[in-house]
Every structure is written in C-alpha cells, then in structure tokens.
Amino acid sequence: MMQIEVTITFEGKSYLTNVITDRNTSDEEIMRLAFEQVEKQWKK
C-alpha cells in the first residue's frame, strides 16, 4: 500500500487529498477515488 497526494478541482476550487491504494492501481482509478473522497466531504 502507498499514500498518494492528489489535487482535485471540485466546484471551481482546488483540494488536496490523500489516497491510500495498492501500487498497481491505475492513474484513472486513483483520480476517481480522490474525486469521490472530496465529493463526499463537501456533499454532507
């Protein structure tokens, strides 16, 4: 497992989030996970 810092643009603002994932995870999957994390935080 590894931790990756990802910057996501959500509703016109940039957010830095961490994704903990397997080394073999594709870039597209990492970006999807990061977007879902940011979206969950701001949709509450």
Side-chain angles (χ1 to χ4, degrees), residues 14-34:
S14 295
Y15 299 94
L16 183 64
T17 189
N18 294 314
V19 176
I20 298 174
T21 186
D22 186 78
R23 292 183 183 274
N24 297 323
T25 305
S26 69
D27 291 345
E28 292 82 16
E29 179 69 9
I30 292 168
M31 293 301 287
R32 185 188 66 77
L33 291 169

Side-chain angles (χ1 to χ4, degrees), residues 30-44:
I30 292 168
M31 293 301 287
R32 185 188 66 77
L33 291 169
F35 184 83
E36 286 179 0
Q37 285 180 190
V38 171
E39 185 177 44
K40 284 179 186 177
Q41 289 174 344
W42 290 105
K43 292 283 179 160
K44 286 186 179 182

